[in-house]
């Protein structure tokens, strides 16, 4: 009897995940989006597409780091074709920089609006278009009802959306599948060469629907997200150094 109950619960959990838009892995054919160990935080170990992700950007530095991470994700999301729509009131992203993440700038359509209310309307209408690979919008506020409208739009089109929140003091409940915060980290020179290293971030998943929040460090190297290995620190006894 206990075994039968576990089977029933397991089937119910799988059904609920399907209803919520989480795709189960299909054997060896399943490929991740390239986030490495971070993807294990999501249900079934698969980055959820066809849903809305919320990205917190409390400072310009966070916004820049978030833009870099999203550009890396777009590399995967746009592999099967389609274009991306980026909606904002005060565009800060430099389109040519997308080429550093293997994203062709001409495949990203930028829409600049004058009013906050127009941002969410444009995003909702864009999310209904199945020909788009992703839609990104820079917003300050969004209500639960507004986020629900966005989620309903992607349930049919399967387009992935990203909300860049630049006013995190007014956070509330939303239907977004995950809440992220991307913090820039100092890069490390590689192979002993001077200058800047590869882009590096601390990625905090603050909330994951049916998943496991956590923190990871990744960097972008040669078109891939690579986990950052913790640098080993060697503690030296000053007294021994003096004695030596």
């Amino acid at each position: 009897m206990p075994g039968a109950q576990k089977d029933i619960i397991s089937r119910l959990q799988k059904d609920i995940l399907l209803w919520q838009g989480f795709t189960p892995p299909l054997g060896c054919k399943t490929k991740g989006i390239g986030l490495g160990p971070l993807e294990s935080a999501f249900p079934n170990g698969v980055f959820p597409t066809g849903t809305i992700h919320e990205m917190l950007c409390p400072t310009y530095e966070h916004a820049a780091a978030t833009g870099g991470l999203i550009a890396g994700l777009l590399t995967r999301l746009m592999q099967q074709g389609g274009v991306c729509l980026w909606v904002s009131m005060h565009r800060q992203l430099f389109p040519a920089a997308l080429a550093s993440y293997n994203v062709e700038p001409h495949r990203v359509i930028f829409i600049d609006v004058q009013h906050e209310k127009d941002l969410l309307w444009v995003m909702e209408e864009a999310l209904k278009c199945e020909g788009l690979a992703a839609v990104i919008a820079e917003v300050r506020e969004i209500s639960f009802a507004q986020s629900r409208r966005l989620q309903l739009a992607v349930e049919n089109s399967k387009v992935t959306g990203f909300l860049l929140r630049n006013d995190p003091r007014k956070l509330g409940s939303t239907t977004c599948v995950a809440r992220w915060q991307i913090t820039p980290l100092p890069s490390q020179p590689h192979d002993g060469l001077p200058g800047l290293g590869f882009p590096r971030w601390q990625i905090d998943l603050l909330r994951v629907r049916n998943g496991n929040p956590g923190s990871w460090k990744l960097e972008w190297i040669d078109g891939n997200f690579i986990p950052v290995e913790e640098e080993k620190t060697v503690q030296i006894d000053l007294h021994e150094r003096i004695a030596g």
Side-chain angles (χ1 to χ4, degrees):
M1 187 65 178
Q5 291 178 342
K6 290 183 179 180
D7 291 339
I8 293 173
I9 293 174
S10 178
R11 288 198 300 270
L12 286 174
Q13 289 175 335
K14 292 179 180 179
D15 289 340
I16 291 173
L17 290 177
L18 283 173
W19 296 333
Q20 292 182 339
F22 293 102
T23 303
L26 301 175
C28 61
K29 295 183 179 180
T30 300
K31 294 183 179 180
I33 203 166
L35 289 173
L38 188 152
E39 292 192 55
S40 63
F42 299 108
N44 300 321
V46 178
F47 176 86
T49 57
T51 187
I52 308 295
H53 295 261
E54 182 182 20
M55 325 290 283
L56 303 186
C57 306
T59 67
Y60 290 119
E61 292 77 12
H62 286 89
T66 302
L69 179 79
I70 289 180
L73 294 175
L74 290 179
T75 303
R76 273 53 175 196
L77 293 173
M78 299 173 71
Q79 282 181 344
Q80 304 302 320
V83 299
C84 167
L85 204 69
W86 196 301
V87 192
S88 64
M89 289 180 60
H90 308 286
R91 190 197 317 171
Q92 299 176 11
L93 182 71
F94 181 52
L98 294 171
S100 302
Y101 296 89
N102 300 328
V103 176
E104 299 172 316
H106 69 271
R107 295 180 61 193
V108 180
I109 301 172
F110 291 93
I111 297 181
D112 301 327
V113 299
Q114 296 184 351
H115 304 288
E116 181 84 14
K117 63 180 181 180
D118 296 332
L119 280 169
L120 293 174
W121 181 85
V122 172
M123 185 178 193
E124 181 182 350
E125 294 302 310
L127 288 172
K128 298 175 182 178
C129 180
E130 298 178 2
L132 294 176
V135 178
I136 300 106
E138 301 177 25
V139 301
R140 287 187 301 177
E141 300 179 14
I142 183 171
S143 66
F144 181 87
Q146 289 170 326
S147 69
R148 178 60 179 159
R149 290 176 64 90
L150 300 180
Q151 182 60 36
L152 289 174
V154 300
E155 286 178 1
N156 292 324
S157 66
K158 305 303 179 185
V159 177
T160 304
F162 298 93
L163 282 170
L164 277 58
R165 301 287 306 278
N166 54 22
D167 191 4
R169 294 171 297 175
K170 300 180 180 179
L171 292 178
S173 298
T174 67
T175 60
C176 296
V177 68
R179 176 173 286 171
W180 307 59
Q181 182 163 301
I182 317 301
T183 304
L185 295 176
S187 63
Q188 296 294 325
H190 284 258
D191 299 326
L193 298 175
L196 298 176
F198 297 105
R200 179 178 289 196
W201 314 283
Q202 175 173 316
I203 302 175
D204 297 316
L205 277 176
L206 306 178
R207 189 180 67 188
V208 185
R209 189 193 307 160
N210 297 316
N212 301 300
S215 297
W216 297 263
K217 293 180 180 179
L218 298 178
E219 58 185 345
W220 181 260
I221 302 178
D222 297 331
N224 295 288
F225 292 109
I226 305 297
V228 175
E229 296 182 1
E230 296 293 336
E231 292 83 359
K232 296 181 180 180
T233 58
V234 180
Q235 296 181 351
I236 301 176
D237 191 330
L238 294 178
H239 296 287
E240 292 182 358
R241 292 184 61 186
I242 294 175

